[in-house]
C-alpha cells in the first residue's frame, strides 16, 4: 500500500493470488488484516466497519467534531 486510507480494502497478492483484506479505522487507529479466501469472505460478511463503529471510542465521544 502506498498510502493509508481508512475503511476496508480487499486485494490479491502477486504470488498465488491469495486474497487479503485490510481494515483501518482512521479515528482510533485500529488495524486488522485477514488473509485467505474463506477468512476474507467471512470477514467481509461480518461487516467490520459497522461492527467497529459500535465500539470505536473516538467516534462515539460526544462533543467532538470530525475534521
Amino acid at each position: 500500500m502506498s498510502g493509508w486510507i481508512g475503511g476496508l480494502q480487499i486485494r490479491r497478492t502477486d504470488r498465488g493470488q491469495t486474497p487479503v483484506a485490510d481494515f483501518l479505522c482512521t479515528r482510533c487507529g485500529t488495524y486488522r488484516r485477514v488473509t485467505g479466501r474463506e477468512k476474507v469472505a467471512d470477514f467481509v460478511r461480518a461487516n467490520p466497519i459497522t461492527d467497529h463503529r459500535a465500539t470505536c471510542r473516538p467516534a462515539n465521544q460526544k462533543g467532538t467534531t470530525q475534521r
Side-chain angles (χ1 to χ4, degrees), residues 7-43:
L8 180 64
Q9 298 173 351
I10 302 170
R11 62 184 173 86
R12 292 183 180 263
T13 60
D14 292 335
R15 298 182 206 160
Q17 298 296 307
T18 303
V20 177
D22 291 308
F23 170 73
L24 174 67
C25 176
T26 55
R27 301 286 296 223
C28 69
T30 297
Y31 174 73
R32 188 160 177 216
R33 173 174 277 181
V34 178
T35 59
R37 184 178 306 262
E38 294 296 321
K39 290 181 182 179
V40 168
D42 291 341
F43 186 64

Side-chain angles (χ1 to χ4, degrees), residues 40-58:
V40 168
D42 291 341
F43 186 64
V44 172
R45 219 175 282 125
N47 201 356
I49 296 172
T50 305
D51 288 346
H52 180 71
R53 278 188 192 144
T55 61
C56 183
R57 275 194 119 164

